[in-house]
Amino acid sequence: NNNLLMEGVHVAHDALVGNYCIIGNSTKMAGEIVIDDFSIISANVLMHQFCRVGGYGMIQGGCRFSKDIPPEKGVSITPGTYFFDNIMDDRFFRINIANETIENIHNAYRIIYQSGLNTSDALKKIEEEIPTSPEIEYIISFIRDSERGIIR
């Protein structure tokens, strides 16, 4: 997997950890969680059972969460109440990501988090207004498939 798991990490039963993930000291992951590729989970994070972290996600140390973290997002401040686009890590991991794609990701998350729309209406608006790409399709399918709901 080419993952870096630091000292004292607990990965419970039936967990799936993608490729090229970094997981910090003393992080505890309950059973049946999923962490997609290229995610960074800092130290002392508590992850509830059945949660999922989308690809290129970044979780600040000490956070605890019980909902899914969408792709390309970061979560900061316990208990996961501040969000930021994790685009700088995209540039580090995916050198060939186009500026237009980055702007489309930003715009998609503006619709989800700042438009005041509920999740299903926000996803419809993204499909209507944002040019399709593998990144946008991944964000939409991740959120649609979320069983626990995304952190808001």
Side-chain angles (χ1 to χ4, degrees), residues 85-120:
D85 289 331
N86 192 20
I87 296 303
M88 291 314 291
D89 274 354
D90 283 353
R91 290 180 194 261
F92 176 74
F93 288 121
R94 296 188 293 182
I95 294 167
N96 295 322
I97 190 166
N99 287 337
E100 181 181 348
T101 302
I102 292 170
E103 189 60 31
N104 289 338
I105 292 167
H106 280 299
N107 290 336
Y109 280 119
R110 282 186 194 106
I111 292 169
I112 293 167
Y113 286 102
Q114 297 174 3
S115 68
L117 297 171
N118 67 35
T119 303
S120 58

PDB file of all heavy atoms in Angstrom, residues 85-120:
ATOM      1  N   ASP A  85     -10.485  23.713   1.687  1.00  0.00           N
ATOM      2  CA  ASP A  85     -10.140  22.921   0.508  1.00  0.00           C
ATOM      3  C   ASP A  85      -8.681  22.530   0.607  1.00  0.00           C
ATOM      4  O   ASP A  85      -7.824  23.356   0.884  1.00  0.00           O
ATOM      5  CB  ASP A  85     -10.386  23.722  -0.776  1.00  0.00           C
ATOM      6  CG  ASP A  85     -11.862  23.915  -1.053  1.00  0.00           C
ATOM      7  OD1 ASP A  85     -12.649  23.052  -0.649  1.00  0.00           O
ATOM      8  OD2 ASP A  85     -12.213  24.932  -1.658  1.00  0.00           O
ATOM      9  N   ASN A  86      -8.413  21.290   0.349  1.00  0.00           N
ATOM     10  CA  ASN A  86      -7.078  20.734   0.511  1.00  0.00           C
ATOM     11  C   ASN A  86      -6.332  20.742  -0.820  1.00  0.00           C
ATOM     12  O   ASN A  86      -5.704  19.784  -1.206  1.00  0.00           O
ATOM     13  CB  ASN A  86      -7.208  19.308   1.054  1.00  0.00           C
ATOM     14  CG  ASN A  86      -5.898  18.760   1.520  1.00  0.00           C
ATOM     15  OD1 ASN A  86      -4.967  19.503   1.794  1.00  0.00           O
ATOM     16  ND2 ASN A  86      -5.815  17.458   1.599  1.00  0.00           N
ATOM     17  N   ILE A  87      -6.437  21.844  -1.542  1.00  0.00           N
ATOM     18  CA  ILE A  87      -5.885  21.908  -2.887  1.00  0.00           C
ATOM     19  C   ILE A  87      -4.362  21.926  -2.893  1.00  0.00           C
ATOM     20  O   ILE A  87      -3.738  21.394  -3.791  1.00  0.00           O
ATOM     21  CB  ILE A  87      -6.449  23.136  -3.635  1.00  0.00           C
ATOM     22  CG1 ILE A  87      -7.957  22.978  -3.807  1.00  0.00           C
ATOM     23  CG2 ILE A  87      -5.773  23.328  -4.980  1.00  0.00           C
ATOM     24  CD1 ILE A  87      -8.399  21.734  -4.535  1.00  0.00           C
ATOM     25  N   MET A  88      -3.719  22.505  -1.902  1.00  0.00           N
ATOM     26  CA  MET A  88      -2.263  22.526  -1.907  1.00  0.00           C
ATOM     27  C   MET A  88      -1.694  21.103  -1.866  1.00  0.00           C
ATOM     28  O   MET A  88      -0.700  20.814  -2.513  1.00  0.00           O
ATOM     29  CB  MET A  88      -1.719  23.353  -0.739  1.00  0.00           C
ATOM     30  CG  MET A  88      -1.987  24.837  -0.895  1.00  0.00           C
ATOM     31  SD  MET A  88      -1.606  25.500  -2.533  1.00  0.00           S
ATOM     32  CE  MET A  88       0.170  25.390  -2.554  1.00  0.00           C
ATOM     33  N   ASP A  89      -2.332  20.204  -1.141  1.00  0.00           N
ATOM     34  CA  ASP A  89      -1.876  18.824  -1.158  1.00  0.00           C
ATOM     35  C   ASP A  89      -2.103  18.207  -2.527  1.00  0.00           C
ATOM     36  O   ASP A  89      -1.341  17.372  -2.971  1.00  0.00           O
ATOM     37  CB  ASP A  89      -2.585  17.999  -0.088  1.00  0.00           C
ATOM     38  CG  ASP A  89      -1.874  18.102   1.235  1.00  0.00           C
ATOM     39  OD1 ASP A  89      -0.789  18.704   1.281  1.00  0.00           O
ATOM     40  OD2 ASP A  89      -2.400  17.581   2.217  1.00  0.00           O
ATOM     41  N   ASP A  90      -3.181  18.601  -3.216  1.00  0.00           N
ATOM     42  CA  ASP A  90      -3.400  18.115  -4.575  1.00  0.00           C
ATOM     43  C   ASP A  90      -2.213  18.468  -5.453  1.00  0.00           C
ATOM     44  O   ASP A  90      -1.750  17.665  -6.240  1.00  0.00           O
ATOM     45  CB  ASP A  90      -4.654  18.740  -5.186  1.00  0.00           C
ATOM     46  CG  ASP A  90      -5.908  18.104  -4.657  1.00  0.00           C
ATOM     47  OD1 ASP A  90      -5.794  17.107  -3.925  1.00  0.00           O
ATOM     48  OD2 ASP A  90      -6.987  18.602  -4.981  1.00  0.00           O
ATOM     49  N   ARG A  91      -1.714  19.678  -5.315  1.00  0.00           N
ATOM     50  CA  ARG A  91      -0.587  20.095  -6.139  1.00  0.00           C
ATOM     51  C   ARG A  91       0.659  19.281  -5.787  1.00  0.00           C
ATOM     52  O   ARG A  91       1.474  18.995  -6.638  1.00  0.00           O
ATOM     53  CB  ARG A  91      -0.312  21.579  -5.955  1.00  0.00           C
ATOM     54  CG  ARG A  91      -1.386  22.431  -6.557  1.00  0.00           C
ATOM     55  CD  ARG A  91      -1.061  23.893  -6.330  1.00  0.00           C
ATOM     56  NE  ARG A  91      -2.207  24.711  -6.590  1.00  0.00           N
ATOM     57  CZ  ARG A  91      -2.398  25.374  -7.723  1.00  0.00           C
ATOM     58  NH1 ARG A  91      -1.541  25.283  -8.698  1.00  0.00           N
ATOM     59  NH2 ARG A  91      -3.456  26.111  -7.877  1.00  0.00           N
ATOM     60  N   PHE A  92       0.799  18.900  -4.519  1.00  0.00           N
ATOM     61  CA  PHE A  92       1.938  18.097  -4.106  1.00  0.00           C
ATOM     62  C   PHE A  92       1.837  16.675  -4.655  1.00  0.00           C
ATOM     63  O   PHE A  92       2.771  16.148  -5.226  1.00  0.00           O
ATOM     64  CB  PHE A  92       2.035  18.076  -2.578  1.00  0.00           C
ATOM     65  CG  PHE A  92       3.128  17.187  -2.064  1.00  0.00           C
ATOM     66  CD1 PHE A  92       4.456  17.573  -2.168  1.00  0.00           C
ATOM     67  CD2 PHE A  92       2.826  15.973  -1.500  1.00  0.00           C
ATOM     68  CE1 PHE A  92       5.469  16.749  -1.695  1.00  0.00           C
ATOM     69  CE2 PHE A  92       3.832  15.143  -1.023  1.00  0.00           C
ATOM     70  CZ  PHE A  92       5.150  15.537  -1.124  1.00  0.00           C
ATOM     71  N   PHE A  93       0.678  16.047  -4.487  1.00  0.00           N
ATOM     72  CA  PHE A  93       0.512  14.657  -4.888  1.00  0.00           C
ATOM     73  C   PHE A  93       0.254  14.493  -6.384  1.00  0.00           C
ATOM     74  O   PHE A  93       0.640  13.530  -6.982  1.00  0.00           O
ATOM     75  CB  PHE A  93      -0.648  13.996  -4.124  1.00  0.00           C
ATOM     76  CG  PHE A  93      -0.338  13.725  -2.687  1.00  0.00           C
ATOM     77  CD1 PHE A  93      -1.107  14.283  -1.692  1.00  0.00           C
ATOM     78  CD2 PHE A  93       0.711  12.911  -2.334  1.00  0.00           C
ATOM     79  CE1 PHE A  93      -0.845  14.017  -0.369  1.00  0.00           C
ATOM     80  CE2 PHE A  93       0.990  12.633  -1.003  1.00  0.00           C
ATOM     81  CZ  PHE A  93       0.208  13.196  -0.025  1.00  0.00           C
ATOM     82  N   ARG A  94      -0.498  15.419  -6.955  1.00  0.00           N
ATOM     83  CA  ARG A  94      -0.900  15.308  -8.352  1.00  0.00           C
ATOM     84  C   ARG A  94      -0.353  16.513  -9.112  1.00  0.00           C
ATOM     85  O   ARG A  94      -1.040  17.502  -9.314  1.00  0.00           O
ATOM     86  CB  ARG A  94      -2.419  15.256  -8.460  1.00  0.00           C
ATOM     87  CG  ARG A  94      -2.999  14.033  -7.803  1.00  0.00           C
ATOM     88  CD  ARG A  94      -4.449  13.907  -8.093  1.00  0.00           C
ATOM     89  NE  ARG A  94      -5.198  14.982  -7.466  1.00  0.00           N
ATOM     90  CZ  ARG A  94      -6.516  15.087  -7.531  1.00  0.00           C
ATOM     91  NH1 ARG A  94      -7.206  14.221  -8.207  1.00  0.00           N
ATOM     92  NH2 ARG A  94      -7.140  16.074  -6.941  1.00  0.00           N
ATOM     93  N   ILE A  95       0.847  16.405  -9.540  1.00  0.00           N
ATOM     94  CA  ILE A  95       1.555  17.530 -10.133  1.00  0.00           C
ATOM     95  C   ILE A  95       0.841  18.063 -11.364  1.00  0.00           C
ATOM     96  O   ILE A  95       0.869  19.252 -11.631  1.00  0.00           O
ATOM     97  CB  ILE A  95       3.012  17.114 -10.451  1.00  0.00           C
ATOM     98  CG1 ILE A  95       3.723  16.836  -9.133  1.00  0.00           C
ATOM     99  CG2 ILE A  95       3.727  18.154 -11.268  1.00  0.00           C
ATOM    100  CD1 ILE A  95       5.041  16.143  -9.264  1.00  0.00           C
ATOM    101  N   ASN A  96       0.171  17.239 -12.101  1.00  0.00           N
ATOM    102  CA  ASN A  96      -0.436  17.666 -13.359  1.00  0.00           C
ATOM    103  C   ASN A  96      -1.888  18.110 -13.241  1.00  0.00           C
ATOM    104  O   ASN A  96      -2.599  18.136 -14.236  1.00  0.00           O
ATOM    105  CB  ASN A  96      -0.314  16.545 -14.394  1.00  0.00           C
ATOM    106  CG  ASN A  96       1.119  16.277 -14.759  1.00  0.00           C
ATOM    107  OD1 ASN A  96       1.912  17.214 -14.855  1.00  0.00           O
ATOM    108  ND2 ASN A  96       1.454  15.026 -14.946  1.00  0.00           N
ATOM    109  N   ILE A  97      -2.360  18.464 -12.069  1.00  0.00           N
ATOM    110  CA  ILE A  97      -3.739  18.915 -11.935  1.00  0.00           C
ATOM    111  C   ILE A  97      -3.855  20.340 -12.499  1.00  0.00           C
ATOM    112  O   ILE A  97      -3.057  21.217 -12.190  1.00  0.00           O
ATOM    113  CB  ILE A  97      -4.241  18.832 -10.478  1.00  0.00           C
ATOM    114  CG1 ILE A  97      -5.748  19.072 -10.418  1.00  0.00           C
ATOM    115  CG2 ILE A  97      -3.462  19.740  -9.558  1.00  0.00           C
ATOM    116  CD1 ILE A  97      -6.377  18.697  -9.105  1.00  0.00           C
ATOM    117  N   ALA A  98      -4.826  20.540 -13.358  1.00  0.00           N
ATOM    118  CA  ALA A  98      -5.000  21.825 -14.042  1.00  0.00           C
ATOM    119  C   ALA A  98      -5.630  22.855 -13.116  1.00  0.00           C
ATOM    120  O   ALA A  98      -6.461  22.514 -12.263  1.00  0.00           O
ATOM    121  CB  ALA A  98      -5.875  21.631 -15.276  1.00  0.00           C
ATOM    122  N   ASN A  99      -5.258  24.100 -13.307  1.00  0.00           N
ATOM    123  CA  ASN A  99      -5.847  25.189 -12.512  1.00  0.00           C
ATOM    124  C   ASN A  99      -7.355  25.246 -12.684  1.00  0.00           C
ATOM    125  O   ASN A  99      -8.079  25.549 -11.738  1.00  0.00           O
ATOM    126  CB  ASN A  99      -5.213  26.525 -12.881  1.00  0.00           C
ATOM    127  CG  ASN A  99      -3.804  26.658 -12.354  1.00  0.00           C
ATOM    128  OD1 ASN A  99      -3.435  25.991 -11.384  1.00  0.00           O
ATOM    129  ND2 ASN A  99      -3.014  27.496 -12.985  1.00  0.00           N
ATOM    130  N   GLU A 100      -7.852  24.962 -13.874  1.00  0.00           N
ATOM    131  CA  GLU A 100      -9.297  24.955 -14.116  1.00  0.00           C
ATOM    132  C   GLU A 100      -9.980  23.878 -13.273  1.00  0.00           C
ATOM    133  O   GLU A 100     -11.055  24.099 -12.713  1.00  0.00           O
ATOM    134  CB  GLU A 100      -9.575  24.714 -15.600  1.00  0.00           C
ATOM    135  CG  GLU A 100     -11.055  24.705 -15.938  1.00  0.00           C
ATOM    136  CD  GLU A 100     -11.312  24.429 -17.414  1.00  0.00           C
ATOM    137  OE1 GLU A 100     -10.361  24.460 -18.221  1.00  0.00           O
ATOM    138  OE2 GLU A 100     -12.481  24.177 -17.732  1.00  0.00           O
ATOM    139  N   THR A 101      -9.355  22.718 -13.144  1.00  0.00           N
ATOM    140  CA  THR A 101      -9.901  21.641 -12.313  1.00  0.00           C
ATOM    141  C   THR A 101      -9.933  22.062 -10.852  1.00  0.00           C
ATOM    142  O   THR A 101     -10.926  21.827 -10.152  1.00  0.00           O
ATOM    143  CB  THR A 101      -9.063  20.358 -12.487  1.00  0.00           C
ATOM    144  OG1 THR A 101      -9.072  19.994 -13.867  1.00  0.00           O
ATOM    145  CG2 THR A 101      -9.611  19.224 -11.639  1.00  0.00           C
ATOM    146  N   ILE A 102      -8.871  22.701 -10.397  1.00  0.00           N
ATOM    147  CA  ILE A 102      -8.832  23.189  -9.015  1.00  0.00           C
ATOM    148  C   ILE A 102      -9.953  24.189  -8.777  1.00  0.00           C
ATOM    149  O   ILE A 102     -10.665  24.118  -7.763  1.00  0.00           O
ATOM    150  CB  ILE A 102      -7.455  23.807  -8.701  1.00  0.00           C
ATOM    151  CG1 ILE A 102      -6.399  22.711  -8.684  1.00  0.00           C
ATOM    152  CG2 ILE A 102      -7.474  24.557  -7.374  1.00  0.00           C
ATOM    153  CD1 ILE A 102      -4.979  23.211  -8.624  1.00  0.00           C
ATOM    154  N   GLU A 103     -10.156  25.112  -9.700  1.00  0.00           N
ATOM    155  CA  GLU A 103     -11.229  26.104  -9.554  1.00  0.00           C
ATOM    156  C   GLU A 103     -12.602  25.431  -9.549  1.00  0.00           C
ATOM    157  O   GLU A 103     -13.490  25.808  -8.788  1.00  0.00           O
ATOM    158  CB  GLU A 103     -11.135  27.148 -10.670  1.00  0.00           C
ATOM    159  CG  GLU A 103     -12.069  28.315 -10.473  1.00  0.00           C
ATOM    160  CD  GLU A 103     -11.828  29.086  -9.176  1.00  0.00           C
ATOM    161  OE1 GLU A 103     -10.673  29.158  -8.690  1.00  0.00           O
ATOM    162  OE2 GLU A 103     -12.812  29.628  -8.624  1.00  0.00           O
ATOM    163  N   ASN A 104     -12.783  24.400 -10.379  1.00  0.00           N
ATOM    164  CA  ASN A 104     -14.054  23.676 -10.395  1.00  0.00           C
ATOM    165  C   ASN A 104     -14.314  22.951  -9.075  1.00  0.00           C
ATOM    166  O   ASN A 104     -15.447  22.899  -8.594  1.00  0.00           O
ATOM    167  CB  ASN A 104     -14.089  22.685 -11.562  1.00  0.00           C
ATOM    168  CG  ASN A 104     -14.207  23.380 -12.895  1.00  0.00           C
ATOM    169  OD1 ASN A 104     -14.662  24.527 -12.986  1.00  0.00           O
ATOM    170  ND2 ASN A 104     -13.773  22.711 -13.946  1.00  0.00           N
ATOM    171  N   ILE A 105     -13.264  22.391  -8.484  1.00  0.00           N
ATOM    172  CA  ILE A 105     -13.408  21.756  -7.171  1.00  0.00           C
ATOM    173  C   ILE A 105     -13.812  22.796  -6.128  1.00  0.00           C
ATOM    174  O   ILE A 105     -14.736  22.567  -5.341  1.00  0.00           O
ATOM    175  CB  ILE A 105     -12.103  21.032  -6.772  1.00  0.00           C
ATOM    176  CG1 ILE A 105     -11.860  19.832  -7.684  1.00  0.00           C
ATOM    177  CG2 ILE A 105     -12.147  20.597  -5.306  1.00  0.00           C
ATOM    178  CD1 ILE A 105     -10.464  19.243  -7.585  1.00  0.00           C
ATOM    179  N   HIS A 106     -13.130  23.940  -6.127  1.00  0.00           N
ATOM    180  CA  HIS A 106     -13.501  25.032  -5.204  1.00  0.00           C
ATOM    181  C   HIS A 106     -14.965  25.421  -5.395  1.00  0.00           C
ATOM    182  O   HIS A 106     -15.711  25.572  -4.420  1.00  0.00           O
ATOM    183  CB  HIS A 106     -12.636  26.261  -5.457  1.00  0.00           C
ATOM    184  CG  HIS A 106     -11.281  26.221  -4.844  1.00  0.00           C
ATOM    185  ND1 HIS A 106     -11.057  26.116  -3.499  1.00  0.00           N
ATOM    186  CD2 HIS A 106     -10.053  26.290  -5.423  1.00  0.00           C
ATOM    187  CE1 HIS A 106      -9.763  26.115  -3.252  1.00  0.00           C
ATOM    188  NE2 HIS A 106      -9.121  26.211  -4.406  1.00  0.00           N
ATOM    189  N   ASN A 107     -15.380  25.601  -6.640  1.00  0.00           N
ATOM    190  CA  ASN A 107     -16.755  26.021  -6.925  1.00  0.00           C
ATOM    191  C   ASN A 107     -17.770  24.967  -6.482  1.00  0.00           C
ATOM    192  O   ASN A 107     -18.835  25.302  -5.965  1.00  0.00           O
ATOM    193  CB  ASN A 107     -16.918  26.345  -8.403  1.00  0.00           C
ATOM    194  CG  ASN A 107     -16.187  27.609  -8.785  1.00  0.00           C
ATOM    195  OD1 ASN A 107     -15.920  28.482  -7.947  1.00  0.00           O
ATOM    196  ND2 ASN A 107     -15.825  27.732 -10.056  1.00  0.00           N
ATOM    197  N   ALA A 108     -17.449  23.698  -6.675  1.00  0.00           N
ATOM    198  CA  ALA A 108     -18.357  22.631  -6.233  1.00  0.00           C
ATOM    199  C   ALA A 108     -18.543  22.691  -4.724  1.00  0.00           C
ATOM    200  O   ALA A 108     -19.673  22.612  -4.214  1.00  0.00           O
ATOM    201  CB  ALA A 108     -17.808  21.267  -6.660  1.00  0.00           C
ATOM    202  N   TYR A 109     -17.448  22.872  -3.983  1.00  0.00           N
ATOM    203  CA  TYR A 109     -17.567  22.929  -2.528  1.00  0.00           C
ATOM    204  C   TYR A 109     -18.210  24.224  -2.054  1.00  0.00           C
ATOM    205  O   TYR A 109     -18.877  24.234  -1.015  1.00  0.00           O
ATOM    206  CB  TYR A 109     -16.226  22.667  -1.851  1.00  0.00           C
ATOM    207  CG  TYR A 109     -15.931  21.189  -1.801  1.00  0.00           C
ATOM    208  CD1 TYR A 109     -14.827  20.648  -2.428  1.00  0.00           C
ATOM    209  CD2 TYR A 109     -16.799  20.319  -1.137  1.00  0.00           C
ATOM    210  CE1 TYR A 109     -14.576  19.281  -2.383  1.00  0.00           C
ATOM    211  CE2 TYR A 109     -16.560  18.964  -1.093  1.00  0.00           C
ATOM    212  CZ  TYR A 109     -15.458  18.454  -1.716  1.00  0.00           C
ATOM    213  OH  TYR A 109     -15.229  17.098  -1.668  1.00  0.00           O
ATOM    214  N   ARG A 110     -18.077  25.290  -2.790  1.00  0.00           N
ATOM    215  CA  ARG A 110     -18.817  26.520  -2.441  1.00  0.00           C
ATOM    216  C   ARG A 110     -20.313  26.262  -2.519  1.00  0.00           C
ATOM    217  O   ARG A 110     -21.084  26.720  -1.678  1.00  0.00           O
ATOM    218  CB  ARG A 110     -18.418  27.663  -3.369  1.00  0.00           C
ATOM    219  CG  ARG A 110     -17.097  28.284  -3.029  1.00  0.00           C
ATOM    220  CD  ARG A 110     -16.806  29.518  -3.899  1.00  0.00           C
ATOM    221  NE  ARG A 110     -15.421  29.869  -3.758  1.00  0.00           N
ATOM    222  CZ  ARG A 110     -14.483  29.670  -4.672  1.00  0.00           C
ATOM    223  NH1 ARG A 110     -14.783  29.146  -5.844  1.00  0.00           N
ATOM    224  NH2 ARG A 110     -13.239  30.006  -4.446  1.00  0.00           N
ATOM    225  N   ILE A 111     -20.736  25.536  -3.549  1.00  0.00           N
ATOM    226  CA  ILE A 111     -22.156  25.202  -3.687  1.00  0.00           C
ATOM    227  C   ILE A 111     -22.606  24.321  -2.521  1.00  0.00           C
ATOM    228  O   ILE A 111     -23.659  24.550  -1.924  1.00  0.00           O
ATOM    229  CB  ILE A 111     -22.423  24.522  -5.047  1.00  0.00           C
ATOM    230  CG1 ILE A 111     -22.217  25.534  -6.189  1.00  0.00           C
ATOM    231  CG2 ILE A 111     -23.830  23.920  -5.090  1.00  0.00           C
ATOM    232  CD1 ILE A 111     -22.204  24.924  -7.575  1.00  0.00           C
ATOM    233  N   ILE A 112     -21.821  23.327  -2.172  1.00  0.00           N
ATOM    234  CA  ILE A 112     -22.206  22.402  -1.102  1.00  0.00           C
ATOM    235  C   ILE A 112     -22.259  23.100   0.247  1.00  0.00           C
ATOM    236  O   ILE A 112     -23.207  22.924   1.015  1.00  0.00           O
ATOM    237  CB  ILE A 112     -21.247  21.201  -1.053  1.00  0.00           C
ATOM    238  CG1 ILE A 112     -21.418  20.351  -2.316  1.00  0.00           C
ATOM    239  CG2 ILE A 112     -21.462  20.359   0.200  1.00  0.00           C
ATOM    240  CD1 ILE A 112     -20.327  19.332  -2.543  1.00  0.00           C
ATOM    241  N   TYR A 113     -21.241  23.911   0.549  1.00  0.00           N
ATOM    242  CA  TYR A 113     -21.100  24.433   1.909  1.00  0.00           C
ATOM    243  C   TYR A 113     -21.574  25.870   2.095  1.00  0.00           C
ATOM    244  O   TYR A 113     -21.791  26.288   3.220  1.00  0.00           O
ATOM    245  CB  TYR A 113     -19.643  24.311   2.373  1.00  0.00           C
ATOM    246  CG  TYR A 113     -19.271  22.886   2.699  1.00  0.00           C
ATOM    247  CD1 TYR A 113     -18.525  22.128   1.812  1.00  0.00           C
ATOM    248  CD2 TYR A 113     -19.686  22.291   3.880  1.00  0.00           C
ATOM    249  CE1 TYR A 113     -18.193  20.814   2.109  1.00  0.00           C
ATOM    250  CE2 TYR A 113     -19.363  20.988   4.182  1.00  0.00           C
ATOM    251  CZ  TYR A 113     -18.616  20.252   3.282  1.00  0.00           C
ATOM    252  OH  TYR A 113     -18.300  18.956   3.585  1.00  0.00           O
ATOM    253  N   GLN A 114     -21.743  26.642   1.029  1.00  0.00           N
ATOM    254  CA  GLN A 114     -22.058  28.056   1.224  1.00  0.00           C
ATOM    255  C   GLN A 114     -23.343  28.509   0.539  1.00  0.00           C
ATOM    256  O   GLN A 114     -23.748  29.652   0.714  1.00  0.00           O
ATOM    257  CB  GLN A 114     -20.887  28.915   0.731  1.00  0.00           C
ATOM    258  CG  GLN A 114     -19.627  28.666   1.519  1.00  0.00           C
ATOM    259  CD  GLN A 114     -18.428  29.409   0.936  1.00  0.00           C
ATOM    260  OE1 GLN A 114     -18.548  30.161  -0.020  1.00  0.00           O
ATOM    261  NE2 GLN A 114     -17.270  29.189   1.524  1.00  0.00           N
ATOM    262  N   SER A 115     -23.990  27.650  -0.233  1.00  0.00           N
ATOM    263  CA  SER A 115     -25.171  28.090  -0.990  1.00  0.00           C
ATOM    264  C   SER A 115     -26.453  28.062  -0.174  1.00  0.00           C
ATOM    265  O   SER A 115     -27.453  28.647  -0.583  1.00  0.00           O
ATOM    266  CB  SER A 115     -25.357  27.206  -2.227  1.00  0.00           C
ATOM    267  OG  SER A 115     -25.722  25.890  -1.841  1.00  0.00           O
ATOM    268  N   GLY A 116     -26.444  27.359   0.948  1.00  0.00           N
ATOM    269  CA  GLY A 116     -27.673  27.221   1.733  1.00  0.00           C
ATOM    270  C   GLY A 116     -28.584  26.122   1.216  1.00  0.00           C
ATOM    271  O   GLY A 116     -29.661  25.909   1.760  1.00  0.00           O
ATOM    272  N   LEU A 117     -28.165  25.419   0.172  1.00  0.00           N
ATOM    273  CA  LEU A 117     -28.975  24.332  -0.384  1.00  0.00           C
ATOM    274  C   LEU A 117     -28.773  23.056   0.422  1.00  0.00           C
ATOM    275  O   LEU A 117     -27.707  22.843   1.002  1.00  0.00           O
ATOM    276  CB  LEU A 117     -28.566  24.060  -1.833  1.00  0.00           C
ATOM    277  CG  LEU A 117     -28.780  25.193  -2.832  1.00  0.00           C
ATOM    278  CD1 LEU A 117     -28.124  24.843  -4.171  1.00  0.00           C
ATOM    279  CD2 LEU A 117     -30.270  25.464  -3.019  1.00  0.00           C
ATOM    280  N   ASN A 118     -29.801  22.207   0.443  1.00  0.00           N
ATOM    281  CA  ASN A 118     -29.595  20.898   1.048  1.00  0.00           C
ATOM    282  C   ASN A 118     -28.683  20.084   0.132  1.00  0.00           C
ATOM    283  O   ASN A 118     -28.414  20.472  -1.004  1.00  0.00           O
ATOM    284  CB  ASN A 118     -30.925  20.190   1.350  1.00  0.00           C
ATOM    285  CG  ASN A 118     -31.685  19.811   0.096  1.00  0.00           C
ATOM    286  OD1 ASN A 118     -31.122  19.463  -0.930  1.00  0.00           O
ATOM    287  ND2 ASN A 118     -33.012  19.870   0.183  1.00  0.00           N
ATOM    288  N   THR A 119     -28.213  18.965   0.611  1.00  0.00           N
ATOM    289  CA  THR A 119     -27.193  18.206  -0.111  1.00  0.00           C
ATOM    290  C   THR A 119     -27.657  17.770  -1.493  1.00  0.00           C
ATOM    291  O   THR A 119     -26.932  17.932  -2.475  1.00  0.00           O
ATOM    292  CB  THR A 119     -26.742  16.991   0.718  1.00  0.00           C
ATOM    293  OG1 THR A 119     -26.260  17.454   1.984  1.00  0.00           O
ATOM    294  CG2 THR A 119     -25.646  16.213   0.025  1.00  0.00           C
ATOM    295  N   SER A 120     -28.859  17.219  -1.608  1.00  0.00           N
ATOM    296  CA  SER A 120     -29.303  16.726  -2.919  1.00  0.00           C
ATOM    297  C   SER A 120     -29.479  17.871  -3.916  1.00  0.00           C
ATOM    298  O   SER A 120     -29.116  17.732  -5.089  1.00  0.00           O
ATOM    299  CB  SER A 120     -30.576  15.886  -2.798  1.00  0.00           C
ATOM    300  OG  SER A 120     -31.613  16.628  -2.212  1.00  0.00           O
TER     301      SER A 120
END
